[in-house]
Amino acid sequence: MEKIRVGITGYGNLGKGVEYALENADDMELAGIFSRRSPEQINPRTSVPVYSMQQAEQMKDDIDVMIVCGGSANDLPVQTAQLAAHFNLVDSFDTHAKIPEHFSNVNEISKNSGKISIISAGWDPGMFSLNRLYSQAILPNGSDYTFWGPGVSQGHSDAVRRIEGVLNAKQYTIPSEEALNRVRSGEQPQLTVREKHTRECFVVAEKGADLDRIENEIKSMPNYFADYDTTVHFISKDEFEAEHMGIPHGGVVLRTGATGENQKHKQIIEYKLTLDSNPEFTAGVLVACARAAYRMNKEGLCGCKTLFDIAPSYLHPQSADELRKNLL
């Protein structure tokens, strides 16, 4: 069987997760890792070759799909656009408000190059988005609810680490069980952000740092903590390394609706994720989308796509006949 040759751009937590995920994909193989760091600084788990980012274009005939594993704030808006001129690719761009702009930029480049680019693949945006779409289509008379966590918010954790006097920090987003239970009962409540989630911070501070100032800066931080009930714990470096080095996450998407005469029958759809490793799960979504990008481009399709545009059968390694036999 001819395997799909995959490249990884960026070798942080997500890139390493993609490397693991490809080991479970019998129809795919890792052909190379590309990094802005010196290749000598990268130590992949396998004997796959490592290249500098500047060498990527030279490898366009040796890579069927590139999985771009940079950050959404600064990396992906640039890297995805550059690589779309030469490769089929997948990224996990997750700045929700800027997805239309990112899509538009990448779509024009991908159409010109005759390649497929799948953007914003992951679990939110991504799998959660897809479940919101299915649920709204099935229950047009209803309300959507998304709860995140319990799990680590990497962006919020980084914001805390940037405060003067903070050596390290992790922030956990925790959904309100009371709010969840109200939604699961079919109540359709109007919930504020404070009613839906709480935030909990575990902070390692510098010796002699003003802990009251740090706590006040965290709790009053606009766009991150000011609108939430937030608890701050100051802990030792040893406790942090023993208890808070993982990257768990997850969440729930629900839609509650009503059907029938006088809308008397309650209907509830729920999709839940409980993840020990956020980047490794996201990597699994990216690898499935890489398979889809390859297949779609083989059929002559090009341009930018999202999970909304991908037939489910393109994501799965089995053939359409096998899927009808085994899963339908």
Side-chain angles (χ1 to χ4, degrees), residues 10-302:
Y11 196 65
N13 289 325
L14 183 56
K16 293 173 183 176
V18 171
E19 186 179 20
Y20 277 112
L22 287 170
E23 292 178 9
N24 296 316
D26 292 338
D27 60 333
M28 310 174 87
E29 63 181 6
L30 179 56
I33 294 171
F34 299 83
S35 176
R36 289 176 300 191
R37 289 180 281 168
S38 169
E40 292 75 23
Q41 295 179 285
I42 306 299
N43 296 302
R45 296 180 59 256
T46 60
S47 58
V48 62
V50 181
Y51 305 96
S52 70
M53 280 290 293
Q54 289 72 27
Q55 294 175 280
E57 185 178 343
Q58 304 169 26
M59 301 289 293
K60 62 184 180 181
D61 294 329
D62 301 301
I63 304 289
D64 295 314
V65 187
M66 190 75 83
I67 299 181
V68 192
C69 299
S72 294
N74 300 311
D75 298 331
L76 296 181
V78 176
Q79 291 178 354
T80 299
Q82 291 176 340
L83 293 168
H86 308 288
F87 298 94
N88 299 311
L89 62 79
V90 182
D91 82 13
S92 60
F93 185 80
D94 65 359
T95 307
H96 291 262
K98 295 184 177 181
I99 288 175
E101 177 186 348
H102 186 53
F103 180 95
S104 179
N105 292 339
V106 176
N107 189 41
E108 181 177 358
I109 296 168
S110 298
K111 285 185 173 179
N112 288 337
S113 65
K115 300 295 185 180
I116 285 281
S117 295
I118 298 174
I119 66 160
S120 299
W123 59 274
D124 200 359
M127 299 304 297
F128 274 15
S129 314
L130 197 57
N131 278 272
R132 286 189 282 262
L133 184 153
Y134 282 139
S135 298
Q136 288 182 13
I138 294 164
L139 292 177
N141 181 24
S143 300
D144 289 325
Y145 299 90
T146 301
F147 293 86
W148 295 279
V152 173
S153 172
Q154 297 185 76
H156 286 69
S157 299
D158 181 64
V160 176
R161 288 192 291 269
R162 292 174 184 269
I163 294 174
E164 182 182 351
V166 173
L167 294 175
N168 211 343
K170 278 281 176 72
Q171 186 269 311
Y172 296 84
T173 300
I174 303 169
S176 165
E177 285 298 322
E178 178 185 358
L180 262 171
N181 289 335
R182 290 177 66 188
V183 174
R184 284 172 170 149
S185 73
E187 184 182 330
Q188 294 193 28
Q190 296 292 318
L191 298 169
T192 65
V193 292
R194 190 179 298 274
E195 290 173 317
K196 289 178 65 179
H197 298 92
T198 60
R199 298 193 180 278
E200 194 165 9
C201 301
F202 292 84
V203 179
V204 180
E206 293 178 357
K207 185 177 181 180
D210 186 338
L211 303 187
D212 288 337
R213 174 188 58 79
I214 292 173
E215 182 172 355
N216 288 334
E217 284 194 37
I218 293 171
K219 291 184 174 181
S220 62
M221 191 182 297
N223 303 319
Y224 285 89
F225 299 100
D227 295 329
Y228 298 85
D229 291 332
T230 302
T231 304
V232 179
H233 306 277
F234 291 98
I235 62 175
S236 69
K237 178 176 179 288
D238 289 343
E239 184 179 351
F240 187 93
E241 292 178 352
E243 302 291 338
H244 301 285
M245 295 303 289
I247 315 178
H249 217 323
V252 182
V253 171
L254 301 105
R255 184 166 178 84
T256 60
T259 61
E261 186 177 1
N262 299 320
Q263 305 292 295
K264 66 180 181 180
H265 293 130
K266 292 181 180 179
Q267 315 283 17
I268 301 173
I269 300 172
E270 179 171 340
Y271 177 77
K272 181 179 180 180
L273 294 176
T274 303
L275 312 176
D276 271 353
S277 171
N278 178 357
E280 288 178 11
F281 181 87
T282 300
V285 181
L286 294 176
V287 167
C289 287
R291 179 181 295 114
Y294 175 79
R295 290 174 170 178
M296 294 166 74
N297 191 243
K298 279 290 188 182
E299 293 182 1
L301 298 175
C302 65

